[in-house]
């Protein structure tokens, strides 16, 4: 878990104290706020949504192009940065929430109230393994992505493909994304004695 | 029109003296952590002087110290939001994960 000192370090220094407070107040009200910004329409940034990302099905080798969210750090994927080895982009495919709900409704073991409660928890960012993305930007419907379904492709391949930007996370959306990412991947209190 | 006389401050402190004074102030006001009780002993209201904006440069302000408390309170509020968010986390659940796992490739947004 992050400590207050670490959070202090990670609050954006380019924001004034008033803007930092505004960011926190937006986070507290995230269910009623937009996750997205109209800035950075063409840049590749962490938390971006892109369409046309090539993906390979590990089970049968099939290939397709899907919508996904970039997890790599912005500077790690900036084409202008020099590197010793060809970089790869880590991304997570997006899943259409309605399509998932429709499938859940066909399940005989799930009651409609159970499904409703779970989808409500997804929308409130309470499901550890998922990040919920409300419609907005070029996303015409609600989506979510599972943190444990990650893929990567060479940056060059991504740059050469026909792709389109779907959204850029705004300040609040990005912090929410980072906090969920931290909860999913960085659990200092894992309870395993390692020494 | 009145003349305002300007007098330079005596330079007896010198660069080294200033640096030593600054270091001593930091250590006295903001001691380094000694134990695991460190965090508990420094919860709000604490001001971290390392975060004090410089009085030199484009963001210079004579009242920088007054902004520190608000910056810290933003961090504390963010921490409480983070703790809240973490405390409310739940698993997707076996039945839900099964549906997701069995249909994942088809569920990808294209």
């Amino acid at each position: 878990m992050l400590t207050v000192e670490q959070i202090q370090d990670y609050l954006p220094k380019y924001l004034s104290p008033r803007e930092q407070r505004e960011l926190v107040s937006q986070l507290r009200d995230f269910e009623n706020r937009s996750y997205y910004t109209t800035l950075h329409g063409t840049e590749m940034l962490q938390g971006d949504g892109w369409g046309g990302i090539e993906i390979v099905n590990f089970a049968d080798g099939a290939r397709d192009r899907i919508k996904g969210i970039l997890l790599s750090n912005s500077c790690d994927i900036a084409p202008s940065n020099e590197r010793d080895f060809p970089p790869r982009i880590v991304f997570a495919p997006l899943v259409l929430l309605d399509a998932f709900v429709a499938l859940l409704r066909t399940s005989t073991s799930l009651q409609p109230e159970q499904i409703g409660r779970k989808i409500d928890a997804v929308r409130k960012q309470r499901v550890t393994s998922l990040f919920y993305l409300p419609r907005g930007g070029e996303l015409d419907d609600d989506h979510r992505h599972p943190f444990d379904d990650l893929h990567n492709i060479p940056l060059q391949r991504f740059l050469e493909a026909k792709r389109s930007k779907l959204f850029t996370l705004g300040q609040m959306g990005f912090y929410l994304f980072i906090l969920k990412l931290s909860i999913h991947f960085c659990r200092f209190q894992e309870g395993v004695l390692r020494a | 029109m009145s003349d305002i006389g300007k007098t330079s401050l005596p330079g007896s402190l010198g660069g080294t003296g200033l640096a030593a004074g600054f270091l001593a102030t930091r250590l006295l006001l903001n001691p380094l952590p000694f134990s695991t009780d460190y965090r508990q002993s420094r919860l709000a209201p604490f001001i971290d002087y390392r975060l004090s904006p410089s009085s030199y440069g484009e963001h210079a302000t004579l009242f920088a110290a007054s902004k520190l408390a608000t910056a810290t309170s933003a961090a504390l509020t963010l921490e409480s939001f983070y703790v809240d968010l973490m405390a409310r986390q739940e698993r997707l659940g076996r039945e839900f994960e099964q549906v997701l796992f069995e249909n994942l490739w088809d569920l990808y947004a294209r």
Side-chain angles (χ1 to χ4, degrees):
Chain A
M1 195 184 94
L2 292 171
T3 65
V4 69
E5 286 86 355
Q6 289 167 325
I7 286 173
Q8 181 88 67
D9 286 343
Y10 296 129
L11 275 169
K13 299 290 184 289
Y14 47 83
L15 296 184
S16 67
R18 196 173 68 83
E19 290 165 331
Q20 288 184 355
R21 286 200 308 278
E22 175 60 21
L23 167 63
V24 176
S25 114
Q26 286 180 10
L27 278 167
R28 289 204 162 276
D29 188 36
F30 71 85
E31 289 169 55
N32 303 308
R33 304 276 185 156
S34 168
Y35 282 35
Y36 311 109
T37 177
T38 52
L39 301 174
H40 311 292
T42 55
E43 291 163 61
M44 274 197 310
L45 301 173
Q46 187 176 38
D48 272 359
W50 285 84
I53 308 178
E54 193 173 356
I55 191 171
V56 178
N57 187 343
F58 189 81
D60 58 11
R63 287 169 184 261
D64 207 340
R65 293 190 179 277
I66 50 98
K67 294 175 181 172
I69 184 168
L70 307 189
L71 271 80
S72 299
N73 287 119
S74 305
C75 50
D76 288 345
I77 52 177
S80 54
N81 282 349
E82 277 186 31
R83 296 175 186 82
D84 294 326
F85 299 100
R88 301 178 77 91
I89 292 186
V90 179
F91 69 94
L94 300 185
V95 167
L96 199 61
L97 195 58
D98 280 350
F100 181 51
V101 172
L103 275 175
L104 291 173
R105 286 188 179 137
T106 64
S107 166
T108 51
S109 59
L110 289 169
Q111 299 303 312
E113 307 81 57
Q114 281 179 284
I115 298 172
R117 274 199 304 274
K118 191 58 75 176
I119 297 306
D120 184 54
V122 169
R123 288 202 163 100
K124 289 176 176 164
Q125 301 290 7
R126 290 181 183 171
V127 176
T128 315
S129 56
L130 304 176
F131 186 66
Y132 167 69
L133 290 155
R135 76 179 62 188
E138 295 297 316
L139 277 187
D140 49 8
D141 221 326
D142 295 351
H143 289 68
R144 58 172 190 64
H145 87 76
F147 281 120
D148 55 0
D149 181 32
L150 304 186
H151 302 251
N152 71 78
I153 56 166
L155 174 64
Q156 197 55 37
R157 188 100 177 188
F158 180 81
L159 293 174
E160 289 166 0
K162 188 180 173 190
R163 61 199 157 83
S164 57
K165 190 159 188 178
L166 302 171
F167 59 80
T168 306
L169 292 178
Q171 197 76 261
M172 186 221 71
F174 178 65
Y175 264 75
L176 195 55
F177 176 64
I178 293 293
L179 292 176
K180 282 293 297 273
L181 207 59
S182 144
I183 290 171
H184 186 75
F185 284 112
C186 310
R187 294 171 211 164
F188 285 120
Q189 62 279 57
E190 65 168 3
V192 178
L193 187 61
R194 290 170 183 262
Chain B
M1 188 174 157
S2 55
D3 286 342
I4 299 174
K6 291 182 186 171
T7 311
S8 297
L9 288 170
S12 58
L13 276 176
T16 315
L18 278 174
F22 177 66
L23 189 63
T25 309
R26 280 191 59 180
L27 289 173
L28 285 170
L29 294 177
N30 191 32
L32 296 171
F34 297 110
S35 68
T36 52
D37 295 335
Y38 162 66
R39 187 172 162 269
Q40 281 74 19
S41 68
R42 290 192 50 190
L43 283 179
F46 104 81
I47 295 175
D48 191 337
Y49 285 84
R50 287 170 297 183
L51 299 166
S52 177
S54 165
S55 58
Y56 173 79
E58 69 176 303
H59 301 298
T61 168
L62 289 171
F63 305 104
S66 66
K67 291 186 175 177
L68 292 177
T70 51
T72 310
S73 78
L76 284 168
T77 323
L78 183 56
E79 188 195 37
S80 77
F81 168 77
Y82 180 69
V83 169
D84 265 8
L85 187 67
M86 248 184 70
R88 293 167 193 264
Q89 293 299 298
E90 58 184 77
R91 298 180 70 92
L92 184 57
R94 186 180 172 82
E95 294 90 349
F96 294 87
E97 285 183 17
Q98 189 174 355
V99 171
L100 182 62
F101 174 77
E102 288 172 356
N103 301 280
L104 194 55
W105 183 257
D106 297 325
L107 281 171
Y108 288 157
R110 290 173 165 87

